[in-house]
Amino acid sequence: MKLLTSVFTLNGRVLPAGTWFTVAVCAFVIGLEIAGRYAASDLHDGAAALALVGCGLAVAVRHRREPLPWVARLATFGRRAAASASWLRYEHGIDLRGVPPLPRRTPPVVFMLVAVLLTWGGCAAGAWAAFPAGWRVIGTHSSYTLYLALLLVLWGTLLTVACVGLFVPIAVLDKWLRRWLGDTDRRGAELAAVVGYAVLVALVAWEVPPAPVLFLCLVVATGAWAAYVPRGRDGAALLWRGSADKPVCAVPLRRVLAAVIGLTALLAFAVLLTACGGRLFAPPRADDTMPFTALLGTVAAWFLPGLLCVVLVKLNGARRGDPARRTPPTLHIAGSNAVDVRAAARIARRWGWAVCAAPHAREPNHVGVEVVVEERSEATEFNPVWPLKVSLADLQLRAVKERLDRRDEIKVRRQLFRGLQKLFKRASVFKGPAGGGFWLAPHWWFVEGVGREDADSASEEAPPMVGPAYSRVLPRRARQHAHAVLRATQVDMIFIEDGVTFRNLERALRVLTELYDVHGGTRRAEEMHFRGVPKVRAMIHEYEPGNPFRSDLYPEPKFDDLSRVRVLHIFRDRGASEELTDQPFDFSWTPAPAPVGSAGW
């Protein structure tokens, strides 16, 4: 007996580690393949898929405790396959300069994805045309395990679309409720909105086939392509290159946004066509073998219109709030003579201004005038009282028009600095313990608010937004004025170190506005223009490939190596200069002329 039992202690030497577990896994897969031949619908496939997931978890746990050789070989094969596809990876960065211009070219992987998604959609349509009752017959007559894995991926994608489609519109609704109701309890309204929206979508999905949604996906993809094709001049672009020895190319952000929307629409079309292609125009068939997949696909499809509405609202808000646009100023006209007021309004509209006439109230951003007789006019006074008293003849003068333009610019500039002061006060609460600074860029539409960068952060991702968004604090025309000033002085972003007060920051920004006023937007800012600003050290650095920012005294903000950005750094003055200066000349032995009137003259 001892001789017989001693054989079991030698099994580990004869058989590799985990052999019995591997045999059990193989037996399970073979049994799953046999059972799949007798499954009647995807409801049975769901139970088999749960068993397959459980088997995968068991393999993961066992491999974690005791490595399995075949799992290790599969992992090695996967890593090699990923390494062989390294040509699909791209280095990327942001280009806010645009000068000198780089070649415009879209990465080839974008067109490859378009071809793959169109091929996927064509194969899905062909499978439903060949098997109207359900394409699961392909899996049951080939590899049932592979079919279950693909089915799990499809179901996971559909559930993700349904969850995102449910909670994104509710999140937007919650933001609106917070704006209307303040900090009051909104949980009841949110619960009612979630349940009501989910029930509404379920009822629509039960009654209406999903063909209109798939047609909508094609329309969105076509519209994105139409927005991608035109060649425009954008202020910002995405830089990319395949490797270090490849040239750097640029893709305007408008094209990037259009490509992302178009690829998402094509992906939604392919996924929905794969899931519910058998019931696009009619209710489910009696012999349908994939009822759960079709129902899940239909529900996910009818969540997409809500998502599309949210995207359209966001895009419209971004377009309207784009600081690169120019909104005309508004002239508020008052006066006792209605005929003169209407005549003054016609003159202002010829200028390109918007007009708001009494009895409408004058808002803070309106430039106010009062139409009076010529004897009461103050159009040429040095320090008049606003609203300015003008006559119809004064409005025909170019000097009066320039005075009103300057008054509007002063108002907008005051709003800009007041808004920046609020942002700075709110953002200063988020200072890190190891130091760092803030990124300020109110003139870019894709930058939502003040960004934070901590010195002890090892992450190279985009800095998180701190404080309120620009759109909530800065008026639209104030951001447009910031765009005009910063683009004219060629400052793409501003980095503000911790410890710099808003008063000192305001002094530095006043240098930019004065430079803009004096030179009419034709001269860019340089470091020498900030030499008179006390308690701060201003440095301007142009980030570009191969030219990172280096300093021994001041913190080094992180930036992608491929980016091209001209950054104004505002540091606390450390009382030292990094510039190399010549030794002072000794004037003690230099002969000097005798003073006038001295003896000997």
Side-chain angles (χ1 to χ4, degrees):
M1 292 296 295
K2 292 182 179 180
L3 186 60
L4 292 176
T5 56
S6 64
V7 177
F8 294 102
T9 61
L10 300 175
N11 287 339
R13 301 177 185 177
V14 177
L15 298 175
T19 300
W20 297 113
F21 182 80
T22 303
V23 170
V25 171
C26 293
F28 171 79
V29 173
I30 293 173
L32 196 63
E33 290 285 344
I34 296 174
R37 302 300 188 268
Y38 299 97
S41 68
D42 60 352
L43 297 177
H44 301 160
D45 298 337
L50 290 178
L52 184 61
V53 170
C55 179
L57 293 176
V59 171
V61 172
R62 177 58 187 271
H63 183 69
R64 184 182 180 89
R65 293 178 56 188
E66 184 180 355
L68 298 171
W70 61 274
V71 175
R73 284 193 291 269
L74 287 177
T76 303
F77 176 77
R79 286 192 293 269
R80 289 178 179 175
S84 63
S86 59
W87 58 276
L88 294 175
R89 301 173 187 171
Y90 298 98
E91 300 179 27
H92 63 277
I94 190 71
D95 181 18
L96 303 182
R97 283 280 77 225
V99 178
L102 294 173
R104 300 287 182 92
R105 185 185 175 192
T106 303
V109 68
V110 174
F111 303 103
M112 185 184 303
L113 288 175
V114 172
V116 168
L117 292 175
L118 292 177
T119 304
W120 179 3
C123 292
W128 280 108
F131 306 101
W135 50 265
R136 68 179 297 275
V137 66
I138 301 176
T140 57
H141 286 77
S142 57
S143 174
Y144 187 68
T145 306
L146 181 60
Y147 158 73
L148 290 180
L150 295 177
L151 190 64
L152 283 174
V153 173
L154 179 61
W155 285 357
T157 304
L158 294 174
L159 288 174
T160 302
V161 172
C163 293
V164 172
L166 175 63
F167 288 104
V168 167
I170 299 303
V172 175
L173 178 63
D174 177 65
K175 185 181 295 186
W176 290 345
L177 289 176
R178 187 186 311 165
R179 189 178 305 170
W180 296 336
L181 304 179
D183 295 331
T184 58
D185 190 2
R186 305 179 302 274
R187 288 176 294 181
E190 292 176 359
L191 180 61
V194 170
V195 174
Y197 186 56
V199 171
L200 175 63
V201 171
L203 290 177
V204 173
W206 185 262
E207 296 292 336
V208 184
V213 179
L214 271 74
F215 178 74
L216 182 63
C217 291
L218 292 179
V219 171
V220 171
T222 305
W225 175 254
Y228 173 89
V229 170
R231 289 180 170 270
R233 291 184 173 272
D234 292 351
L238 183 69
L239 301 182
W240 66 275
R241 65 181 175 187
S243 59
D245 57 342
K246 298 292 182 63
V248 179
C249 300
V251 184
L253 287 186
R254 172 185 56 82
R255 286 192 165 186
V256 173
L257 189 60
V260 170
I261 293 176
L263 290 176
T264 304
L266 287 179
L267 177 61
F269 174 80
V271 170
L272 295 179
L273 186 60
T274 304
C276 50
R279 53 168 301 182
L280 290 180
F281 306 99
R285 298 161 49 101
D287 57 345
D288 192 0
T289 60
M290 304 182 71
F292 181 74
T293 305
L295 178 61
L296 191 60
T298 306
V299 171
W302 283 109
F303 273 115
L304 289 180
L307 276 177
L308 181 60
C309 291
V310 172
V311 171
L312 291 177
V313 169
K314 291 293 184 180
L315 290 177
N316 183 57
R319 186 188 65 84
R320 294 182 57 194
D322 186 3
R325 302 183 67 195
R326 293 295 178 262
T327 303
T330 302
L331 184 67
H332 184 273
I333 305 175
S336 57
N337 192 334
V339 178
D340 292 345
V341 169
R342 287 194 294 269
R346 288 193 295 269
I347 295 174
R349 290 191 181 97
R350 287 199 298 267
W351 294 345
W353 286 45
V355 175
C356 179
H360 296 285
R362 180 166 58 92
E363 298 182 4
N365 59 335
H366 293 174
V367 177
V369 296
E370 182 181 356
V371 181
V372 297
V373 296
E374 192 169 354
E375 291 76 11
R376 296 179 53 200
S377 174
E378 298 180 358
T380 58
E381 295 292 334
F382 176 74
N383 189 20
V385 178
W386 292 85
L388 184 65
K389 295 180 175 62
V390 296
S391 63
L392 288 179
D394 294 331
L395 293 177
Q396 304 289 344
L397 300 177
R398 181 178 179 181
V400 175
K401 169 66 167 51
E402 292 177 351
R403 187 169 199 172
L404 296 178
D405 288 336
R406 183 59 179 171
R407 178 68 177 181
D408 173 71
E409 189 176 60
I410 291 174
K411 280 179 167 290
V412 171
R413 192 168 293 178
R414 288 173 179 172
Q415 292 176 349
L416 174 63
F417 280 96
R418 283 196 296 265
L420 291 178
Q421 185 177 12
K422 294 179 182 178
L423 282 171
F424 193 83
K425 186 180 298 184
R426 295 285 298 274
S428 60
V429 181
F430 298 91
K431 292 181 179 178
F438 303 96
W439 289 105
L440 186 67
H443 58 302
W444 295 113
W445 63 269
F446 51 88
V447 181
E448 295 185 1
V450 178
R452 175 71 193 171
E453 183 178 289
D454 293 325
D456 57 349
S457 176
S459 174
E460 296 183 358
E461 298 179 357
M465 188 182 76
V466 294
Y470 290 134
S471 58
R472 295 181 54 189
V473 179
L474 298 176
R476 186 183 306 170
R477 299 194 65 244
R479 293 188 68 183
Q480 294 173 2
H481 183 67
H483 180 274
V485 173
L486 295 177
R487 293 300 287 170
T489 54
Q490 298 186 26
V491 174
D492 300 324
M493 297 189 76
I494 302 175
F495 178 79
I496 309 162
E497 186 188 9
D498 291 342
V500 177
T501 63
F502 180 76
R503 183 180 295 275
N504 294 330
L505 172 63
E506 183 180 5
R507 290 169 179 165
L509 295 180
R510 295 286 183 188
V511 173
L512 295 178
T513 56
E514 290 175 5
L515 190 65
Y516 174 77
D517 293 338
V518 172
H519 296 279
T522 59
R523 187 171 184 179
R524 72 177 191 170
E526 302 291 350
E527 292 183 7
M528 62 179 181
H529 298 130
F530 299 89
R531 288 179 180 173
V533 181
K535 298 183 180 180
V536 298
R537 174 66 186 278
M539 298 182 181
I540 296 180
H541 183 75
E542 295 193 21
Y543 289 87
E544 58 184 5
N547 187 30
F549 181 76
R550 292 289 183 264
S551 175
D552 296 331
L553 295 178
Y554 298 95
E556 303 175 9
K558 301 179 182 66
F559 244 95
D560 295 328
D561 294 336
L562 207 61
S563 297
R564 292 201 311 174
V565 187
R566 193 168 191 262
V567 180
L568 169 62
H569 304 89
I570 301 178
F571 300 116
R572 291 180 289 108
D573 192 0
R574 285 160 171 77
S577 177
E578 294 186 330
E579 297 180 358
L580 297 177
T581 58
D582 297 331
Q583 294 294 330
F585 185 76
D586 188 6
F587 291 94
S588 60
W589 299 97
T590 303
V596 178
S598 60
W601 280 79

